[in-house]
Amino acid sequence: MISSPKARGGYRRATFLVGLAFGAWAAAPAFAAGSMTIGGLTSQPIGHYEFCRANPSECSIRSRDTGPERMSGELWQTLVDVNLEVNGAVGPANDFDIYGKDEVWAYPEDSIGDCEDYVLEKRRELVARGLSLSNLLITVVRKSDGEGHAILTVRTDRGDFVLDNLTDAIRPWEASGYHFLKRQASNHTGHWVTIREGQAPLVGSVQ
């Protein structure tokens, strides 16, 4: 899967605007994003399967699900910072141009990558800043044009939020405009679960 980022404003301006948005809804206790409804176990995307073969230690972590992250101004700023930093540091390139084949999930090499590579890097950065793997879930969606895409879902006590290489804004998952298909299980980094009322993915899967 490949996606190209939209034109971005400066880091400070984006941080300021998103910070204002957080301040507005944080001041209203009634505001809450929704949480995805998860179904049963399903197949891994083929790219994640191959990533796990190459990185078995990353895909055998059994996390104890202690619940979503508690949303705070500090957490929101961390999400904003990581999303902006990775989106700005990694340039878009498709797998075939980088590796000579499709569906390679990997950490960005030489500061280039496609959507899954952005997700992996953001997840790594957020874990380093203290977030739990059980709340940082690689998620496969379908864009409005039918193209498959990968994003990072962050589970919080105010709902599920999306970190995306196509925008610097942190959005509630329902406001992303995507069809949600499947995501990593919160209790095992090598397992995937369905997202209820999704549609069949347009990405290869290991059956």
Side-chain angles (χ1 to χ4, degrees):
M1 292 179 279
I2 178 171
S3 300
S4 298
K6 295 178 181 178
R8 304 184 180 106
Y11 177 89
R12 290 182 179 177
R13 180 176 181 275
T15 302
F16 175 73
L17 291 175
V18 178
L20 285 180
F22 173 76
W25 65 259
F31 177 90
S35 297
M36 297 178 200
T37 301
I38 301 303
L41 289 174
T42 189
S43 57
Q44 290 174 278
I46 186 64
H48 190 249
Y49 173 77
E50 295 295 341
F51 174 80
C52 290
R53 289 184 63 187
N55 304 274
S57 64
E58 293 210 23
C59 298
S60 58
I61 301 170
R62 296 177 180 271
S63 303
R64 181 168 169 266
D65 187 351
T66 57
E69 302 288 334
R70 186 181 69 82
M71 181 55 79
S72 65
E74 181 181 1
L75 174 59
W76 184 260
Q77 192 61 55
T78 296
L79 299 181
V80 169
D81 289 346
V82 168
N83 200 49
L84 285 168
E85 288 166 9
V86 176
N87 284 357
V90 179
N94 64 45
D95 288 329
F96 195 84
D97 288 342
I98 302 171
Y99 303 104
K101 59 181 179 179
D102 293 323
E103 285 302 312
V104 178
W105 292 29
Y107 292 103
E109 292 187 1
D110 301 321
S111 299
I112 56 174
D114 71 352
C115 54
E116 304 96 350
D117 305 350
Y118 284 86
V119 169
L120 288 167
E121 186 62 28
K122 290 174 187 178
R123 188 180 68 155
R124 178 164 65 178
E125 289 292 328
L126 289 168
V127 168
R129 300 185 193 205
L131 276 70
S132 170
L133 275 173
S134 67
N135 293 321
L136 301 171
L137 307 173
I138 306 171
T139 304
V140 171
V141 300
R142 188 193 305 181
K143 299 193 297 181
S144 59
D145 61 5
E147 183 182 14
H149 183 47
I151 56 174
L152 184 65
T153 296
V154 180
R155 296 195 314 154
T156 82
D157 61 358
R158 293 207 178 184
D160 294 344
F161 290 87
V162 165
L163 275 65
D164 192 347
N165 67 300
L166 297 184
T167 177
D168 288 336
I170 309 296
R171 298 177 292 178
W173 74 282
E174 313 102 305
S176 66
Y178 297 138
H179 291 292
F180 283 71
L181 306 172
K182 61 173 75 176
R183 77 180 188 190
Q184 282 180 299
S186 61
N187 61 356
H188 195 300
T189 54
H191 292 171
W192 286 67
V193 294
T194 60
I195 299 171
R196 296 242 176 112
E197 299 188 5
Q199 301 178 38
L202 296 184
V203 295
S205 295
V206 178
Q207 302 298 330

